[in-house]
Amino acid sequence: MTRMIFSINQCSSIELRLLKALRALNWEGNWPAQAGFFLEEIGLSSAQTFVFADLVSVIIKADPNFYLLGPMSAYVSRDELNLLAALGIASRKFSNTSDQSDPQIAPVLKSLVDSCGTALSKARIAMKTRSPLQAGRTVPGAASQVIPFQDDRTMRTVRVVSVHKPTPQVRRIVLGGHSLKTFETDLPAQWVKIFLPDGTAQPIGRAFTIHNFDTINKELTFDIALHEGGPMSEWALTAKPGDELQLAGPRGGFKGATPRSWLLMAADETGLPAIAAIVRQLPADLEVHVFAEVADETERQFLEIQPKVRVRWIYRNGSATQEPETLSEVLRYSPLPTTGGDAWIAAEASVIRSIRTQLLRDRGFELGKVHAAGYWKRGEQDHRDLAAG
């Protein structure tokens, strides 16, 4: 098949950054995990980035031949230019009553393009004015039955089997029930969304990493890091065996480290269940450096580790022998291997952004080898991050 590509100079600086994110969403390795950061860099919120993930998913399902180049390509394809044109029209339409969108776009895809255009407009991102190429399509002719990619919403009713208290500020919940007989996990650190039954059409739901799934007894364990005012925290304080919940998933997960490399892992309390699940399944000969931030020594948890796993506990409130420290500060001055490795990081969104920049700029990590997910965001409820999968 003949491919038509053009100079990257065809694109404005904003288009280049948007295009890089759109390409990353369809790329291999850890590139999809970077897309959320690329989109946020041009002013989009974490919630808006999921609209663009849906768009790319639908386009690729509708037309596998749609030509998205590699994230660092010095060229731009005809398909990509036409997609940028469609997004530009959609973003301008948000503040214009006239509908200029292409009538040939299938309804589902048109809705997604319009949603992306609205997100760009609300973020005050000015797209370059351009017309679709005469020899090309604006976007692929998706069949009307194609729907946007969504989380697995197959709801399972489960019940609390037991409640444990590994630390003062963590509740470990074990779930069971007939619906888990068909539940499967294929990667460590996958997550599920837990919903509190409150009798409303949209029950309160939050994402939690699977600490462990017992394949024999079909019981799923997850941790809740308690914090004031959170609905799940309030529920966990009084949770008891027999309580019913619903869950959807699993999603995401750790896909493994590069062979013959080394792995950096860093997290606060919210990421510790993922680290616990990952280190249990790592190769015994892999060099691993774990940095875990908790409030104080009482919040330190047991980790089942391999001989070559080194763990550094960081206490943000300090201890009898340590001054108060933070994850970002400790990583900045800690000695690490100088050869390129892989990194897996999960914590508060702004902390993750700082550490990610530090690793790429000062530590020499390759962009595609840094998996950094904001598991929560200060001041925001039910934060979602594309990098979490």
Side-chain angles (χ1 to χ4, degrees):
M1 179 184 296
T2 302
R3 300 289 194 182
M4 188 176 291
I5 58 175
F6 302 87
S7 167
I8 201 73
N9 295 330
Q10 291 256 359
C11 300
S12 66
S13 59
I14 286 293
E15 286 180 324
L16 288 175
R17 292 157 79 182
L18 176 60
L19 187 60
K20 188 174 184 180
L22 293 172
R23 289 171 169 178
L25 285 164
N26 186 52
W27 210 242
E28 58 189 10
N30 283 334
W31 274 101
Q34 315 303 326
F37 288 100
F38 296 152
L39 288 167
E40 288 189 26
E41 283 176 356
I42 61 175
L44 292 159
S45 70
S46 57
Q48 291 169 327
T49 61
F50 280 85
V51 180
F52 287 88
D54 286 345
L55 176 68
V56 171
S57 179
V58 169
I59 287 175
I60 300 307
K61 286 179 182 177
D63 183 0
N65 292 320
F66 190 86
Y67 202 23
L68 281 169
L69 301 181
M72 306 303 292
S73 176
Y75 299 94
V76 59
S77 75
R78 180 176 64 190
D79 286 344
E80 290 172 330
L81 284 174
N82 285 328
L83 175 58
L84 292 173
L87 290 174
I89 291 171
S91 63
R92 288 187 288 278
K93 188 188 70 176
F94 178 74
S95 55
N96 190 329
T97 55
S98 62
D99 189 341
Q100 308 174 58
S101 58
D102 190 329
Q104 296 181 351
I105 301 176
V108 170
L109 195 52
K110 177 181 181 299
S111 176
L112 273 176
V113 171
D114 286 349
S115 296
C116 291
T118 300
L120 291 169
S121 180
K122 285 184 175 179
R124 291 184 169 82
I125 298 172
M127 298 286 289
K128 183 177 179 180
T129 301
R130 64 165 76 249
S131 299
L133 300 182
Q134 294 297 318
R137 304 158 295 179
T138 48
V139 287
S144 60
Q145 67 266 26
V146 177
I147 60 173
F149 173 79
Q150 299 178 9
D151 294 348
D152 180 359
R153 296 299 182 188
T154 302
M155 302 294 283
R156 301 172 188 265
T157 299
V158 293
R159 58 179 175 78
V160 175
V161 174
S162 58
V163 180
H164 306 273
K165 189 178 177 181
T167 74
Q169 293 302 310
V170 172
R171 295 296 180 272
R172 182 160 293 163
I173 313 292
V174 181
L175 302 176
H178 181 74
S179 67
L180 292 180
K181 299 299 181 184
T182 58
F183 186 86
E184 295 181 353
T185 59
D186 24 53
L187 293 172
Q190 288 187 299
W191 57 268
V192 292
K193 197 155 191 177
I194 305 291
F195 294 88
L196 296 177
D198 60 0
T200 65
Q202 292 185 323
I204 295 172
R206 297 290 186 269
F208 293 97
T209 303
I210 299 170
H211 185 277
N212 183 56
F213 180 62
D214 183 337
T215 57
I216 304 299
N217 296 313
K218 297 295 181 179
E219 293 181 344
L220 183 151
T221 303
F222 72 99
D223 288 355
I224 296 180
L226 303 179
H227 61 279
E228 188 175 350
M232 296 300 296
S233 293
E234 292 177 359
W235 172 83
L237 288 171
T238 59
K240 60 186 181 304
D243 288 352
E244 284 196 348
L245 300 167
Q246 288 188 308
L247 66 81
R251 294 292 313 282
F254 177 74
K255 298 178 181 178
T258 305
R260 297 181 298 279
S261 181
W262 64 279
L263 176 63
L264 166 67
M265 304 190 76
D268 61 14
E269 293 93 335
T270 61
L272 279 182
I275 286 182
I278 292 169
V279 295
R280 283 197 301 266
Q281 297 189 33
L282 289 175
D285 60 348
L286 180 67
E287 180 180 353
V288 184
H289 296 260
V290 175
F291 294 82
E293 179 190 304
V294 293
D296 52 45
E297 287 180 290
T298 66
E299 294 301 314
R300 182 167 170 165
Q301 298 184 23
F302 170 76
L303 293 177
E304 182 183 338
I305 60 174
Q306 302 278 11
K308 297 191 72 174
V309 177
R310 300 174 178 84
V311 181
R312 166 72 187 274
W313 290 94
I314 301 162
Y315 308 124
R316 57 178 170 273
N317 296 336
S319 68
T321 58
Q322 288 183 218
E323 293 292 323
E325 297 177 310
T326 66
L327 195 60
S328 181
E329 291 171 346
V330 172
L331 276 175
R332 190 175 299 280
Y333 62 71
S334 292
L336 291 170
T338 55
T339 56
D342 294 276
W344 185 97
I345 313 157
E348 196 276 330
S350 64
V351 174
I352 287 300
R353 182 172 292 280
S354 171
I355 293 175
R356 177 178 177 273
T357 301
Q358 179 191 137
L359 295 181
L360 296 175
R361 185 187 61 197
D362 303 330
R363 293 282 191 176
F365 278 77
E366 294 180 23
L367 183 58
K369 293 186 177 182
V370 177
H371 180 96
Y375 270 24
W376 62 285
K377 189 172 185 178
R378 192 168 283 104
E380 183 178 311
Q381 291 190 345
D382 198 20
H383 173 69
R384 299 176 67 201
D385 191 326
L386 277 173

